[in-house]
Amino acid sequence: RLVNAAVETYVTRRAAEWEGRGAAVSRGGEEEDEAMALDMDKLARVVHLMFERCYEDGTYNHALGVAFEAREAGKVDEILNRLLADASAAGAGADYDAVLDTLSYALDAASTLIPSKAFRTKSLELIASALDRVWNATAAVLAAAKRHAACKLVHCRQLLGDDRGVADVIVRLLDAPRLQGGEAGDDGALLGLQLCFDIVDSGDRAFVAKVAGHIPKCGDEEEGTQQSRSQPSSSQEGTNGADGAGDNHDNHSDDVPRTPEQKIHFQNSHRVLTGGFTSELSLSFLYKHSNADRFIMTHLKKALEERGMGRNSLLHHCAVCAHGYLNAGTTNDSFLRDHLDWMKKASNWAKFSATASMGVI
């Protein structure tokens, strides 16, 4: 109980110092006054002993939680280094699943529970560094653990806005025919393409475009670019010195030799990121799984006309909206194309709804 009280007081004061309030913490009574009067060095010794106990017991999550609340980036770095060092010392018997579970907890906590942007950014950078070390480990790490580390690393770098770092991971996965330690196949390339889908699903189009800009295209367009570069005009020779740095804006040169299969993977990555492939998949899925019955609209239109209600604006508006909901997202507008004269019967404000229903489809 005394240790818990010491940790709570230490965390409160450290958080206040980080936020620039120093000792000016709200005081609500004598107990808080006594807590603020405690020696900070003694509190730090108690907390650091608690960290050592966590290292011995392997409860790194608890230590990370205290470090996050106390806004101690140095302790976060120490905990992550100790976590990886213990796993490395265990050799082939290391449980990297537990290591990645701890790093996943750290990533979730840093991205959702830390209000300070500066400290959150610093913590995410430390976590990204640790995930990169796991992903690049050469021994005792199974392919499943590497896949998990690569996914978390991309997510962490995306939170940091590091488009070049995200592209670097994807390029390395697309270049590798398989993950180290995995069975033969295209595991690495498939994972890279899946990460492209995940980035697109995040909805940040500007970030997606930046990531795509750092990934080689490896297509016919690139070959034409290489030929044009190999034969520079006389007007360009004078500017090569000034523009040389701009031509190599990516870490991955377009001159890297790749197999036809690898080039296909790179082309597919650009198709996913900027080629609208996700929209094509969504439309194809909705079209193939549409259960809308065209005869429903045909009978509805016929019933309205037989009862003399064909020109009733309200009923016509309801029929047009019903058609839009029946075929939403399917691109199946054949009924409207076949009955354009009937659709033109919309009047006044209903014309806007009729036009909007086509956008729904």
Side-chain angles (χ1 to χ4, degrees):
R1 185 175 180 180
L2 290 175
V3 173
N4 291 337
V7 171
E8 183 178 357
T9 303
Y10 177 81
V11 166
T12 302
R13 294 177 63 175
R14 285 289 301 177
E17 292 176 1
W18 175 270
E19 294 173 2
R21 293 185 287 116
V25 182
S26 60
R27 300 184 179 183
E30 295 182 358
E31 293 183 359
E32 292 190 4
D33 292 342
E34 293 178 358
M36 297 304 299
L38 295 175
D39 188 357
M40 192 63 178
D41 293 336
K42 294 181 180 180
L43 291 174
R45 284 197 293 270
V46 173
V47 174
H48 293 170
L49 289 174
M50 184 273 297
F51 281 135
E52 293 297 332
R53 180 65 180 272
C54 291
Y55 298 155
E56 295 176 2
D57 297 340
T59 55
Y60 295 97
N61 288 2
H62 181 62
L64 281 170
V66 174
F68 284 146
E69 291 184 4
R71 311 292 191 270
E72 286 198 89
K75 277 298 175 183
V76 173
D77 188 26
E78 176 186 311
I79 295 168
L80 296 178
N81 288 333
R82 186 68 176 267
L83 172 67
L84 297 180
D86 291 347
S88 179
D95 186 4
Y96 275 93
D97 289 336
V99 172
L100 288 172
D101 288 341
T102 301
L103 293 176
S104 298
Y105 162 79
L107 178 59
D108 293 339
S111 59
T112 59
L113 301 179
I114 299 177
S116 172
K117 182 178 180 180
F119 182 71
R120 180 170 62 250
T121 301
K122 180 62 177 177
S123 299
L124 290 174
E125 290 175 351
L126 296 173
I127 296 169
S129 177
L131 287 168
D132 189 69
R133 289 168 59 184
V134 174
W135 186 46
N136 291 317
T138 57
V141 182
L142 299 177
K146 284 182 174 291
R147 286 194 292 269
H148 191 183
C151 294
K152 292 297 181 181
L153 179 59
V154 167
H155 179 51
C156 186
R157 287 182 172 174
Q158 185 177 4
L159 291 174
L160 289 169
D162 184 8
D163 51 279
R164 185 178 291 275
V166 171
D168 180 65
V169 175
I170 293 175
V171 168
R172 290 178 59 185
L173 288 172
L174 296 177
D175 273 332
R178 61 184 176 89
L179 292 175
Q180 184 175 1
E183 298 178 357
D186 291 334
D187 291 350
L190 293 177
L191 179 59
L193 293 175
Q194 179 59 55
L195 291 174
C196 290
F197 278 107
D198 295 340
I199 295 171
V200 173
D201 289 340
S202 67
D204 190 346
R205 302 303 304 173
F207 183 81
V208 171
K210 291 179 181 179
V211 172
H214 297 304
I215 299 178
K217 292 186 177 180
C218 296
D220 296 337
E221 180 179 340
E222 176 195 355
E223 294 177 0
T225 303
Q226 290 179 358
Q227 294 177 0
S228 63
R229 288 179 180 176
S230 62
Q231 299 176 354
S233 62
S234 57
S235 60
Q236 292 175 337
E237 292 178 355
T239 59
N240 283 341
D243 297 340
D247 291 339
N248 297 323
H249 64 281
D250 287 334
N251 289 332
H252 314 287
S253 173
D254 292 341
D255 297 332
V256 175
R258 294 186 173 92
T259 63
E261 291 79 6
Q262 289 175 327
K263 291 182 178 181
I264 292 175
H265 292 320
F266 279 94
Q267 293 170 8
N268 288 336
S269 68
H270 278 278
R271 186 182 175 193
V272 171
L273 291 172
T274 58
F277 185 59
T278 55
S279 299
E280 294 177 12
L281 288 179
S282 299
L283 292 176
S284 176
F285 176 83
L286 292 172
Y287 181 81
K288 291 180 180 179
H289 293 80
S290 174
N291 295 321
D293 189 353
R294 175 169 175 155
F295 288 103
I296 294 177
M297 287 304 306
T298 302
H299 292 320
L300 178 59
K301 171 180 173 295
K302 184 177 180 181
L304 293 178
E305 291 177 347
E306 288 178 351
R307 298 184 181 183
M309 300 179 181
R311 295 193 59 83
N312 188 301
S313 61
L314 180 59
L315 294 177
H316 182 272
H317 174 69
C318 292
V320 171
C321 291
H323 176 266
Y325 285 125
L326 283 172
N327 299 277
T330 63
T331 68
N332 183 13
D333 58 351
S334 58
F335 178 82
L336 293 181
R337 291 181 181 275
D338 294 341
H339 302 88
L340 287 176
D341 292 338
W342 174 78
M343 186 180 178
K344 291 178 181 178
K345 293 179 181 179
S347 59
N348 301 327
W349 292 102
K351 293 182 179 179
F352 291 95
S353 298
T355 305
S357 68
M358 298 196 67
V360 172
I361 298 173

